[in-house]
Amino acid sequence: MIDQSLWQTAVALQEYLAASGHPFCFIGGLVVQRWGQPRVTADVDATILTEFGGEAEIAREILQRYQSRIENPIQFAIQSRILLLQDIRHNKIDLSIGGLDFEHRIVQRSSWWGLPGGGKIRTCSAEDLIVLKSFAARPQDWIDVEQVIIRQQDKLDRKLVQEELLPLAELKEEPEILEQLKSFFQKHP
């Protein structure tokens, strides 16, 4: 279902980030393959940790290896804490620059996953994927959330998901995010 070159991009990014010494893990559509219903995705999403104020430094470092997809990537990284990159295969990479306590916990809870065709990457937990997808709250994200809940069933720590999502939904001032998640939990006990 996933283009083999996207897996290669993930493994190469994994090797690069591991060598850089910055804590990180994969999030997004690739991780849905592990915890939810496999589906097509067009990019590689990951989070790399750095403290607030370190965005420009980490951006400069990563831009020595990866090409930006936008103009003024360092300024964009400072403002939005994300790098929009592409590799030599022209595969898209969205690299979030994490610094919140929640993002640190995502990386701490991450674990290794063996990829189809070989290699392994460090991915966020199913619970953290649900939190991230719920927070984004786009139509595809809600489909992914429900599929993770269905596939993981009683293996999920639902209390942890709600505890992590609550302050994020409050920050976004969108309590309906929690209500949507609770409706999925009720629908799939």
Side-chain angles (χ1 to χ4, degrees):
M1 175 124 5
I2 299 290
D3 182 329
Q4 189 63 29
S5 74
L6 211 54
W7 293 122
Q8 293 166 348
T9 294
V11 169
L13 181 61
Q14 162 93 18
E15 290 169 358
Y16 171 73
L17 293 177
S20 77
H22 297 286
F24 69 94
C25 71
F26 288 89
I27 58 176
L30 283 183
V31 181
V32 170
Q33 313 307 305
R34 179 181 186 184
W35 301 117
Q37 178 66 36
R39 65 168 176 84
V40 174
T41 188
D43 61 4
V44 172
D45 300 295
T47 294
I48 185 169
L49 296 179
T50 192
E51 298 307 317
F52 288 93
E55 300 87 358
E57 181 181 337
I58 205 164
R60 282 188 198 92
E61 180 183 326
I62 292 167
L63 287 166
Q64 291 178 20
R65 169 75 181 255
Y66 291 95
Q67 182 180 6
S68 177
R69 298 189 334 250
I70 61 170
E71 291 187 31
N72 303 316
I74 294 174
Q75 185 62 34
F76 187 76
I78 292 168
Q79 292 173 338
S80 64
R81 295 187 60 89
I82 192 165
L83 284 166
L84 301 175
L85 308 167
Q86 66 181 11
D87 69 355
I88 58 172
R89 297 172 191 88
H90 301 285
N91 285 330
K92 295 177 182 179
I93 300 169
D94 293 350
L95 187 60
S96 298
I97 303 171
L100 299 173
D101 289 343
F102 169 64
E103 292 164 316
H104 282 269
R105 291 190 298 273
I106 288 174
V107 171
Q108 289 169 350
R109 287 189 288 254
S110 66
S111 62
W112 292 103
W113 178 45
L115 298 177
K120 63 181 181 176
I121 59 173
R122 191 156 192 85
T123 75
C124 68
S125 69
E127 289 84 359
D128 290 325
L129 182 61
I130 289 172
V131 173
L132 290 167
K133 291 281 189 177
S134 298
F135 182 72
R138 298 167 297 207
Q140 182 62 55
D141 294 314
W142 286 121
I143 292 168
D144 291 341
V145 165
E146 186 169 22
Q147 292 301 317
V148 172
I149 292 168
I150 290 168
R151 184 165 171 206
Q152 298 305 313
Q153 299 178 356
D154 60 350
K155 292 181 263 182
L156 282 176
D157 184 341
R158 293 171 183 228
K159 182 179 179 199
L160 174 67
V161 172
Q162 292 180 71
E163 287 172 353
E164 291 288 15
L165 186 57
L166 176 62
L168 297 173
E170 288 174 347
L171 180 68
K172 201 172 177 182
E173 296 181 355
E174 293 184 17
E176 61 274 15
I177 290 173
L178 274 173
E179 295 309 313
Q180 179 66 41
L181 177 66
K182 287 178 185 177
S183 75
F184 285 144
F185 281 162
Q186 291 169 354
K187 183 178 175 184
H188 308 288

